[in-house]
Amino acid sequence: MASKLVRHRHLRALSSSSISINNHIRSPHFSNPNRAPLSFSYRLFSNASSSSSSSGGFQRPSSLKDLELAKFAAIAETWWDSEGPFKPLHVMNPTRLAFIRSTLCRHFSKDPNSAKPFEGLKIVDVGCGGGILSEPLARMGATVTGVDAVEKNIKIARIHADLDPVTSTIEYCCTTAEKLVEEDRKFDAVIALEVIEHVANPAEFCKSLAALTVPDGATVISTINRSMRSYATAIVAAEYLLHWLPKGTHEWSSFLTPEELVLILQRANITVREMAGFVYNPLTGRWSLSDDISVNFIAFGTKNCQ
Amino acid sequence: MHLTMFCTRVIARILYVNVSRLKVRHKHFCTDAATRVSGSNCGQPSPEHKETHDISNNIQHYDIAIVGGGMVGMALACSLASMPLTKHLNVAIIDSNPALGSRPYFNKDDPPDPRVSTVTPATISFFKDVGAWQYVEQHRHAYFDKMQVWDYTGLGYTRYNAQDINKEVLGCVVENKVLHGSLLSCIENTDFQKTIYPSRLSSMTLHPSPSSLGMDSTSSRPPLSSQRHLAKLELSDGNSLYTKLVVGADGGKSCVRELAGFKTTGWNYSQNAIICTVEHTIENGCAWQRFLPAGPIALLPMGDNFSNIVWTMNPKESTNRKLMNEDEFVKDVNNALDYGYGPHPTSSLFGSGEMFSWPRAGVTLSANDCFEVPPKVVKLASERLVFPLSLRHASDYVSKHVVLIGDAAHTVHPLAGQGVNMGFGDAFALSRVIAEGIAVGSDIGEVTMLKKYEAERKPANIMMMAILDGFQKAYSVDFGPLNILRAAALHGAHFISPIKRSIISYASGEQKLPLFT
Ligand SMILES: Cc1cc2nc3c(=O)[nH]c(=O)nc-3n(C[C@H](O)[C@H](O)[C@H](O)COP(=O)(O)OP(=O)(O)OC[C@H]3O[C@@H](n4cnc5c(N)ncnc54)[C@H](O)[C@@H]3O)c2cc1C
Ligand SMILES: C[S@@+](CC[C@H](N)C(=O)[O-])C[C@H]1O[C@@H](n2cnc3c(N)ncnc32)[C@H](O)[C@@H]1O
């Protein structure tokens, strides 16, 4: 109880820009009990060439991790089956959209009572998969671009979005964040949910996201924490016991902790202003937002001007 | 403990990060680079995609089609019209009832219609929220703050007072046509986009084949396991329309329920109710209910010197009483509400309750109220309507694109006047779930969203139905000597305040699970 309060107060403090430097802070390095600090910093701060353990040491300035992509391509047909492998994303969707709605409405001074509060905002959904997130964003009025590295996902997303005139306006393309940067695309908000744990180099990936964001624009990222609890719930329970996710969907060692995410975003010139956890209640089968960030968490940041 | 440490560390690190930000700041220089609309392989939807929606362009598309513009269907429409997140919805209302086509007009001098509802404080506040109660108040309505329940054995009685539950009223009796007309007036006075189809639903296609929607049916596309098309409704006048969500508000014999293939459970009681309006020489300010060997008789205040009668009995008796002459009927009613079938209950008859040793703590004020005899009926003021009692409940309220509300989902006998209140509760819950769905960009025909409505309403409705059925069972059989237990139950309810309070608050729609909280 008390611990939650502490954390909560802290998360609040994040959103206020004047954070005083505290004398008690004396831990410049990360010591995660679950992982050797060395290998961790190696992975995070190495450059792209030394990062790809699973793409066979193939050097390219890209976030792609072929093995990860193959896993998604294999189950692409099931994106819109709300009882299928992507069920967790479907069930979590209202909760994470509630977070996005409230943070973006506040940041862009949009009317929270409007049915289409995102009207006038250009949003890119990076790693959009079948469009589970892109479609609600379009219904909320945003001009949405969805990109994914897997061609099959984009095809599924296109067909599904075309079923409804409102979502048929979504621009889908099979590409990566880096390529969009090369094309000099800019968006008011850049969103990448449940993607960063699948990319080869999270730090580079965040830099691409930042480069796509207009000054004072927003970036929203969600992922799974690298904690013992996340190992237990996200991998053992979701993949092996409940069979929600195909086995091997997640590689625990590539998960980021909230503080790591904040740090790499900071280095990419994005200041995290709000963070929340998702907790699952097995009795109601629902997810809700909480200050418990120990398993799934979502962060909202803004791009620093200049 | 462990968690606390973790959190403190998080704080420390994030603060550290914020400090370090000062150093890296200058690295990025944001430019206002012009944004290009289409990148390399990014395509806007191709023309063939556009076409898919125009193929059926002579058929209207709606967000929601409400089948059945009765009290509950109109309550849903009003609620949608009143909320910022739903008022933009494009809604069709399908009902051949001519009342929907005309501005409601009621002559104050006409005696009240016998079709009335006892609306609970929860329903009243719902009507106030949507802006419809002001129209009810312009017409005849009767608040009551007292209720007396007793039975023919003369052993027990109980009186309820609004002040027992810190309320000003226990409920309000309103003619159904006034409730309906008020909802109609309320919606007429908004700029809500609604289209009324004066017709009836005749068929419904929930999952049109892809080709019927002009969808690309060329081979290579993988099958989508949950296709999200529109539902197509065909009406008896030959019109048809497409909609994202079909709301079945078409009453106990719901056509939507049948076409969507929802199963129901239920039974008919071999009982009928006679309803009619009666007149007194004075104004009645209390709701009365007396249990007779064949079923209860209720006398509800209707305003002025009028009351409403809902009298349950076996079918043969009901036929007789419908056909008998007025004077005889009035005599029967007065008899049933006074000395007929048994003596008045007196507290002395029941002793001081020692037989059952009821706890005496927390005796409410009304426990000291004396038994009263209802005002005499002097005249029959309407025709006598007879209808059979039944209980019916749909095993599901929702499926993809379809949702049931009101009597379409559950029909109860009017014993406690709960029928329509349950329906208003449904309408309110559904409109809120839709608003919440719209807030997060959900597709309003999506079943996971609709399931939230079902999860909220089903337990509440089943509980209410079980209570009403229990009441019905307990009072429809003459247990002879066992009547004393029934009387004890009534008497007990009279004295055990906390339980009684929750019984009343449940009946007035304030509480969800009275028996377990
Ligand atoms: C005779 C009678 C007396 C009652 N007395 C009481 C009472 O005293 N107290 C109480 O609380 N409750 C009473 N009830 C129950 C109460 O009236 C209902 O609970 C309430 O009317 C339910 O409202 P509803 O809108 O769900 O359904 P309804 O009022 O039945 O409305 C259904 C609407 O759907 C329309 N419809 C039906 N089929 C189609 C179709 N295929 N296409 C298009 N439209 C269609 C009908 O025209 C109607 O307007 C009584 C019911 C009856 C039948
Ligand atoms: C778990 S899914 C999340 C889908 C979607 N963002 C959501 O939350 O509903 C991860 C998606 O990211 C895509 N992906 C993985 N690495 C990527 C990369 N480097 N660039 C773009 N997309 C990537 C995968 O193809 C997959 O569709």
Side-chain angles (χ1 to χ4, degrees):
Chain A
M1 199 61 223
S3 66
K4 290 205 167 180
L5 283 176
V6 172
R7 184 163 51 210
H8 199 69
R9 214 181 311 132
H10 161 64
L11 289 172
R12 281 279 153 73
L14 255 186
S15 52
S16 82
S17 49
S18 59
I19 296 174
S20 59
I21 301 164
N22 193 320
N23 279 336
H24 300 290
I25 305 162
R26 47 179 63 102
S27 167
H29 72 281
F30 294 95
S31 56
N32 190 310
N34 300 323
R35 194 189 164 91
L38 226 174
S39 65
F40 148 59
S41 47
Y42 171 74
R43 191 174 57 84
L44 265 183
F45 308 117
S46 58
N47 58 29
S49 59
S50 57
S51 69
S52 40
S53 54
S54 55
S55 60
F58 179 37
Q59 290 192 18
R60 53 176 176 179
S62 159
S63 59
L64 297 180
K65 216 168 163 184
D66 296 338
L67 201 77
E68 293 290 314
L69 299 180
K71 289 174 195 168
F72 286 106
I75 51 171
E77 278 83 24
T78 61
W79 274 109
W80 286 98
D81 179 356
S82 56
E83 294 296 316
F86 294 107
K87 178 176 177 172
L89 296 179
H90 285 278
V91 183
M92 252 160 95
N93 224 18
T95 314
R96 56 195 200 167
L97 281 154
F99 178 87
I100 293 171
R101 181 187 175 91
S102 79
T103 51
L104 295 193
C105 279
R106 223 175 309 138
H107 182 67
F108 293 107
S109 307
K110 298 287 185 180
D111 176 10
N113 282 323
S114 160
K116 291 182 181 290
F118 295 167
E119 239 154 22
L121 290 185
K122 286 174 62 171
I123 301 184
V124 63
D125 177 9
V126 178
C128 62
I132 296 177
L133 185 83
S134 300
E135 290 195 10
L137 292 173
R139 282 195 207 92
M140 289 158 87
T143 304
V144 180
T145 300
V147 302
D148 200 285
V150 174
E151 178 92 50
K152 235 168 150 185
N153 291 347
I154 290 298
K155 278 195 179 139
I156 301 273
R158 175 81 272 150
I159 296 172
H160 196 270
D162 284 343
L163 294 174
D164 183 342
V166 182
T167 51
S168 68
T169 59
I170 299 172
E171 174 196 36
Y172 280 119
C173 47
C174 179
T175 185
T176 61
E178 302 89 271
K179 289 226 191 79
L180 291 180
V181 175
E182 280 168 27
E183 290 164 16
D184 210 14
R185 301 280 306 257
K186 298 278 177 199
F187 300 89
D188 299 303
V190 175
I191 305 183
L193 303 193
E194 313 304 317
V195 179
I196 199 165
E197 66 272 24
H198 303 287
V199 308
N201 185 329
E204 286 301 317
F205 182 69
C206 284
K207 282 190 184 146
S208 302
L209 299 185
L212 293 175
T213 315
V214 299
D216 202 35
T219 308
V220 183
I221 293 181
S222 77
T223 186
I224 309 182
N225 196 346
R226 192 181 70 247
S227 65
M228 257 352 253
R229 269 195 59 208
S230 75
Y231 184 74
T233 49
I235 300 189
V236 180
E239 294 183 16
Y240 290 86
L241 299 178
L242 301 172
H243 301 294
W244 276 359
L245 300 171
K247 285 173 194 152
T249 302
H250 292 110
E251 212 180 306
W252 188 64
S253 60
S254 50
F255 292 173
L256 293 171
T257 62
E259 54 271 49
E260 288 163 5
L261 181 66
V262 169
L263 187 70
I264 61 174
L265 281 172
Q266 195 60 62
R267 301 209 162 181
N269 217 14
I270 289 169
T271 306
V272 172
R273 307 210 172 264
E274 270 178 67
M275 207 186 270
F278 294 119
V279 289
Y280 179 71
N281 179 345
L283 290 179
T284 57
R286 303 245 178 90
W287 290 85
S288 55
L289 287 174
S290 95
D291 55 2
D292 177 1
I293 53 176
S294 65
V295 182
N296 294 85
F297 65 96
I298 186 164
F300 157 79
T302 54
K303 178 159 170 181
N304 307 334
C305 289
Q306 22 167 293
Chain B
M1 188 58 223
H2 167 81
L3 208 58
T4 318
M5 284 166 59
F6 170 75
C7 301
T8 327
R9 256 200 326 270
V10 173
I11 293 165
R13 279 168 202 165
I14 297 181
L15 286 175
Y16 170 71
V17 165
N18 275 283
V19 177
S20 65
R21 168 181 142 213
L22 300 167
K23 299 173 202 150
V24 291
R25 210 184 212 167
H26 61 276
K27 272 195 192 166
H28 286 262
F29 184 68
C30 307
T31 57
D32 268 28
T35 317
R36 268 185 285 149
V37 176
S38 87
S40 52
N41 51 354
C42 291
Q44 287 295 325
S46 58
E48 56 188 82
H49 288 132
K50 291 276 182 223
E51 254 174 44
T52 61
H53 303 288
D54 298 336
I55 279 193
S56 44
N57 61 2
N58 50 341
I59 301 184
Q60 284 295 317
H61 285 61
Y62 294 93
D63 293 311
I64 301 180
I66 302 174
V67 181
M71 289 187 281
V72 175
M74 291 313 296
L76 175 69
C78 271
S79 188
L80 291 172
S82 73
M83 290 190 292
L85 283 165
T86 51
K87 62 174 191 228
H88 68 286
L89 292 172
N90 192 7
V91 172
I93 301 171
I94 300 152
D95 198 319
S96 55
N97 180 355
L100 269 85
S102 55
R103 281 240 155 200
Y105 170 77
F106 307 116
N107 188 345
K108 283 217 169 196
D109 298 330
D110 287 347
D113 194 270
R115 293 175 205 85
V116 302
S117 296
T118 312
V119 298
T120 60
T123 294
I124 295 172
S125 67
F126 166 65
F127 268 60
K128 284 184 177 160
D129 285 350
V130 304
W133 193 250
Q134 50 172 321
Y135 301 103
V136 174
E137 284 185 319
Q138 289 166 13
H139 298 100
R140 185 159 27 212
H141 62 283
Y143 290 106
F144 62 94
D145 61 359
K146 288 194 291 283
M147 199 160 119
Q148 175 177 297
V149 182
W150 73 111
D151 83 352
Y152 72 96
T153 62
L155 293 178
Y157 75 93
T158 190
R159 285 178 69 88
Y160 299 109
N161 253 310
Q163 69 208 41
D164 293 350
I165 51 165
N166 302 318
K167 286 265 144 67
E168 276 175 26
V169 298
L170 285 171
C172 186
V173 184
V174 191
E175 289 155 82
N176 288 354
K177 65 178 188 191
V178 170
L179 288 171
H180 190 247
S182 300
L183 292 165
L184 215 55
S185 306
C186 174
I187 206 163
E188 290 298 339
N189 292 333
T190 64
D191 48 7
F192 192 53
Q193 286 180 52
K194 54 141 187 19
T195 311
I196 294 176
Y197 285 82
S199 180
R200 302 184 76 75
L201 176 70
S202 53
S203 79
M204 180 161 86
T205 320
L206 289 176
H207 305 286
S209 65
S211 55
S212 78
L213 267 178
M215 278 238 335
D216 186 341
S217 48
T218 46
S219 54
S220 66
R221 293 195 166 165
L224 295 173
S225 26
S226 89
Q227 288 190 335
R228 191 198 40 167
H229 306 307
L230 302 166
K232 185 180 185 186
L233 303 184
E234 273 159 85
L235 312 186
S236 54
D237 61 4
N239 268 316
S240 42
L241 53 102
Y242 282 115
T243 181
K244 291 178 187 158
L245 179 64
V246 184
V247 179
D250 49 349
K253 297 197 176 80
S254 172
C255 179
V256 172
R257 188 179 65 209
E258 193 166 308
L259 292 171
F262 291 119
K263 297 206 165 40
T264 64
T265 50
W267 46 86
N268 297 327
Y269 301 100
S270 52
Q271 280 182 312
N272 284 354
I274 291 190
I275 58 173
C276 60
T277 308
V278 295
E279 213 176 327
H280 312 282
T281 49
I282 51 158
E283 187 164 344
N284 171 20
C286 175
W288 313 83
Q289 184 148 309
R290 185 181 188 215
F291 290 94
L292 303 176
I297 179 169
L299 183 78
L300 304 169
M302 260 319 308
D304 302 330
N305 289 350
F306 294 108
S307 284
N308 182 267
I309 297 268
V310 182
W311 190 358
T312 307
M313 60 193 77
N314 71 49
K316 198 166 155 281
E317 281 179 316
S318 69
T319 319
N320 291 342
R321 288 214 172 91
K322 183 180 160 71
L323 297 174
M324 67 175 45
N325 74 44
E326 279 192 33
D327 289 346
E328 260 183 89
F329 180 76
V330 168
K331 225 174 91 197
D332 257 14
V333 168
N334 283 327
N335 194 39
L337 288 167
D338 198 341
Y339 276 110
Y341 309 94
H344 293 169
T346 59
S347 40
S348 64
L349 234 179
F350 210 77
S352 49
E354 271 143 30
M355 196 188 333
F356 297 97
S357 57
W358 301 111
R360 289 308 194 117
V363 170
T364 60
L365 277 174
S366 53
N368 302 319
D369 284 0
C370 287
F371 172 81
E372 280 180 45
V373 179
K376 284 272 165 296
V377 170
V378 294
K379 191 167 164 263
L380 182 66
S382 77
E383 56 179 335
R384 285 159 277 183
L385 303 175
V386 175
F387 59 95
L389 299 186
S390 65
L391 184 137
R392 194 146 295 279
H393 188 253
S395 45
D396 294 295
Y397 293 5
V398 305
S399 70
K400 203 167 169 54
H401 301 302
V402 187
V403 54
L404 302 179
I405 58 173
D407 275 23
H410 43 73
T411 315
V412 296
H413 56 77
L415 190 73
Q418 287 299 316
V420 81
N421 291 298
M422 288 163 70
F424 290 140
D426 294 348
F428 180 53
L430 178 60
S431 57
R432 210 170 15 105
V433 164
I434 291 174
E436 284 167 9
I438 287 174
V440 295
S442 301
D443 168 14
I444 60 172
E446 192 198 301
V447 75
T448 38
M449 182 197 93
L450 298 173
K451 281 276 177 200
K452 288 188 187 158
Y453 153 75
E454 184 181 86
E456 181 176 336
R457 291 306 298 167
K458 216 169 158 182
N461 289 338
I462 286 178
M463 174 69 72
M464 198 65 201
M465 295 180 86
I467 290 176
L468 295 181
D469 186 50
F471 257 118
Q472 203 278 340
K473 293 241 160 67
Y475 292 104
S476 60
V477 184
D478 194 354
F479 289 110
L482 285 180
N483 279 338
I484 195 160
L485 293 178
R486 193 164 68 187
L490 275 183
H491 210 78
H494 191 47
F495 282 110
I496 307 171
S497 281
I499 292 179
K500 183 167 129 184
R501 205 170 283 132
S502 58
I503 290 173
I504 321 177
S505 62
Y506 195 58
S508 60
E510 293 294 311
Q511 211 173 314
K512 274 189 180 152
L513 296 170
L515 306 177
F516 307 119
T517 51

